[in-house]
Amino acid sequence: MSRLPAVALLLALTACGSGDAGEPGDPGGDDRTLTVLAAASLTGAFDDLAEIFEDAHPGVEVRLSLDSSATLAQQVIAGAPADVLATADLRTMTIAADGDALADDPRTFATNTLVLVTPADDPAGITAFADITGTAYVTCAESAPCGAIARDLLAANGIESPPVSREVDVRAVLTKVVLSEADAGLVYATDAAAAGDEVRTLPVPGAPALRTEYPIALLAAAPAEDLGRAWVDLVLSAEGQQVLARHGFGPAPS
Amino acid sequence: MSRSQPAGLGRIPPLLLVPALLGTAVVVLPLLGLVSRSPWRALPDLLGEPDVRRALVLSLTTSTLTATVCLLLGLPLAWLLARGRFRGRAVLRALLTVPLVLPPVVGGVALLGGFGRTGLLGGPLREAFGVSLPFTTAAVVLAHTFVALPFFVLAVEGALQAQGERYDAVAATLGARRWTTFRRVTLPLALPGIAAGTVLAWARSLGEFGATITFAGNFPGTTQTMPLLVYTRLQDDPSAAYGLSLVLLGLSLAVLVLLRDRWLRGAVR
């Protein structure tokens, strides 16, 4: 939420610069800006993609505004002048679609599944998902999508011992594990990938069936429509998919 | 006070009136917004929810425990700062007031570093006794004490400073021992300040969020206090969050008004 004024200010400033050179179909123009609103879990992958995009489009600057999907959807409906929206679930994208903010139908470009992570030294000796019974493990609160999925996975695997904490978002879950305060935690595969060697990652039985889908769409009010389209194409391209896979995302369903 | 007062005394200079009104608006407008958006009709149902009742009970329990701990640990500290003559008193005071300016989340991270499972004290504690503080109600009280203690110590130290050392000196001249002087002279004189400090600590504890969620986690019944429940609900049910905030607001207001009439008159200005 705190990003909104900053984004608005940046856009107000760059709007002047893009006016003269920013005609559609003029990708070679100088000092143009592409603004992408993306779910916070896309941070690493979209940073990499932004570099690739800027190399392919000289003179174009990619601005990423990263926040929770729900916040971004609200910003888009409120008229934030951005080009592309990428959210971490279909529900929030539907909110933007219902607000007539999208230019096209959204397309799913990546998936994410929950995995079990433990601290690198695995203090509780967890070798399979079922081992978390009786340990100090943490999940998201059920008000967050990751918490709702975690609840279903625990039930599906017949695990009745409750977590010691229900964190408000998935980053807080990861932090508790990285700091070794918790024995284990349920986070997204992308969070586990971002934590690298600091955590051990174990699969959760049944998780692929409860994967989340990441949709992307060009915005109706996009100031740089051509660049927005090019960004969506890059994300869906083989190169884009490779970058996403490197950050722990699953492929777009075909 | 029956003398006639000079004209204009007690009436604010016009130049100060506008900022004073603005200051009032900054505080009162959001509170009005909270009240106007609260789902009044849903309040009884909301209060009937098990998670809400658990959070209310936990908040009241931990706040009262925190105020008690502050009283037990903070009173000697305040005496030390106000009366003690030793090197490093200024440093001690500075250290004790750090939590006042620290962002609460940073406080939570610091608490993990000290009392967490791998922390300075928490690590050895766990290895020796198998005790792990995070995710327990004790961790909530510890986090609350961390942020509330400076409020208590500063309030009581101020009261002790204002009271001065002369009554202590008289008692000593009359042959009273140090403990007797403290118990019969210093303590009764500082009572309004102590009461004010306790209420401040209680209120700060009731509203504590950042250090708690970072250090103690968020689980209904053990560590999910009212502010944590409000934040959790805000993610998917903002209207319930408004209702719960209202409950919290009403609770703190009620206690502050009640205590103000009984003890705080003249102690807090």
Side-chain angles (χ1 to χ4, degrees):
Chain A
M1 206 148 79
S2 60
R3 284 172 194 267
L4 182 56
V7 170
L9 183 64
L10 284 173
L11 289 166
L13 291 171
T14 53
C16 319
S18 63
D20 46 348
E23 305 300 325
D26 180 22
D30 287 330
D31 300 335
R32 299 190 61 207
T33 303
L34 167 69
T35 305
V36 177
L37 307 180
S41 49
L42 290 163
T43 306
F46 272 27
D47 275 342
D48 289 358
L49 285 171
E51 275 183 35
I52 296 173
F53 192 88
E54 284 173 356
D55 286 348
H57 299 78
V60 172
E61 188 185 354
V62 179
R63 286 191 195 282
L64 295 176
S65 175
L66 302 147
D67 212 319
S68 85
S69 297
T71 305
L72 294 174
Q74 293 303 332
Q75 290 181 1
V76 163
I77 293 175
D83 301 299
V84 177
L85 172 68
T87 63
D89 62 357
L90 300 174
R91 189 180 60 90
T92 42
M93 186 59 89
T94 308
I95 294 173
D98 290 347
D100 290 328
L102 307 184
D104 301 324
D105 283 340
R107 297 169 68 183
T108 299
F109 67 95
T111 55
N112 213 345
T113 53
L114 280 194
V115 295
L116 187 72
V117 289
T118 73
D121 60 352
D122 188 19
I126 294 167
T127 53
F129 184 59
D131 293 346
I132 65 171
T133 298
T135 65
Y137 74 96
V138 288
T139 68
C140 292
E142 285 174 21
S143 55
C146 52
I149 301 172
R151 175 198 58 205
D152 293 348
L153 284 175
L154 289 167
N157 284 280
I159 289 164
E160 281 170 12
S161 89
V164 290
S165 182
R166 293 187 176 134
E167 302 293 330
V168 173
D169 58 43
V170 70
R171 288 284 167 180
V173 174
L174 186 69
T175 305
K176 292 281 193 294
V177 175
V178 167
L179 292 178
S180 211
E181 296 301 338
D183 294 325
L186 281 165
V187 300
Y188 289 115
T190 51
D191 301 305
D197 291 342
E198 291 185 277
V199 296
R200 272 169 72 247
T201 306
L202 300 167
V204 178
L210 294 176
R211 65 186 180 185
T212 57
E213 298 189 3
Y214 282 61
I216 191 167
L218 187 71
L219 295 177
E225 191 191 333
D226 57 319
L227 293 178
R229 265 185 219 294
W231 177 267
V232 175
D233 288 345
L234 171 66
V235 168
L236 290 165
S237 72
E239 189 181 17
Q241 291 293 303
Q242 231 170 24
V243 171
L244 285 160
R246 205 165 61 228
H247 286 276
F249 287 98
S254 45
Chain B
M1 287 298 155
S2 57
R3 271 175 294 166
S4 66
Q5 298 197 336
L9 203 64
R11 287 172 61 204
I12 191 167
L15 200 61
L16 301 184
L17 185 62
V18 173
L21 287 178
L22 276 177
T24 310
V26 167
V27 174
V28 172
L29 262 182
L31 296 181
L32 284 178
L34 179 67
V35 171
S36 73
R37 284 200 187 179
S38 291
W40 291 91
R41 277 194 207 129
L43 269 187
D45 285 346
L46 206 57
L47 285 172
E49 287 180 30
D51 274 3
V52 175
R53 279 216 304 272
R54 275 196 285 257
L56 257 178
V57 170
L58 186 70
S59 267
L60 292 175
T61 317
T62 50
S63 296
T64 309
L65 281 173
T66 302
T68 313
V69 173
C70 284
L71 190 65
L72 292 176
L73 306 183
L75 189 55
L77 264 176
W79 190 94
L80 211 56
L81 291 181
R83 295 277 197 278
R85 295 198 187 98
F86 59 98
R87 286 167 64 99
R89 192 171 65 164
V91 177
L92 179 66
R93 182 186 290 115
L95 281 176
L96 284 171
T97 48
V98 165
L100 276 182
V101 292
L102 214 57
V105 179
V106 177
V109 174
L111 283 162
L112 284 174
F115 303 111
R117 297 208 312 187
T118 55
L120 286 179
L121 180 67
L125 206 64
R126 183 157 180 255
E127 268 168 34
F129 305 105
V131 178
S132 167
L133 274 175
F135 311 122
T136 63
T137 306
V140 178
V141 176
L142 194 56
H144 288 192
T145 304
F146 178 81
V147 291
L149 193 59
F151 285 89
F152 180 90
V153 171
L154 288 189
V156 177
E157 192 208 342
L160 290 175
Q161 298 274 21
Q163 148 194 343
E165 222 169 356
R166 57 185 191 281
Y167 293 108
D168 291 15
V170 171
T173 343
L174 296 175
R177 289 167 191 225
R178 278 183 285 173
W179 175 245
T180 312
T181 306
F182 175 75
R183 199 168 53 88
R184 305 289 295 274
V185 178
T186 320
L187 199 60
L189 280 172
L191 219 47
I194 294 170
T198 311
V199 172
L200 272 180
W202 187 88
R204 182 67 189 83
S205 166
L206 191 71
E208 164 47 9
F209 170 76
T212 313
I213 202 163
T214 312
F215 177 57
N218 182 32
F219 194 82
T222 52
T223 60
Q224 189 175 67
T225 57
M226 282 296 279
L228 271 59
L229 180 64
V230 170
Y231 189 65
T232 307
R233 283 296 177 82
L234 200 55
Q235 313 291 314
D236 68 338
D237 189 358
S239 145
Y242 275 111
L244 294 173
S245 310
L246 195 69
V247 172
L248 205 53
L249 180 70
L251 199 65
S252 9
L253 271 181
V255 168
L256 287 180
V257 168
L258 249 171
L259 293 183
R260 194 188 146 78
D261 281 352
R262 301 203 85 175
W263 292 336
L264 299 189
R265 188 157 289 160
V268 182
R269 285 169 195 273

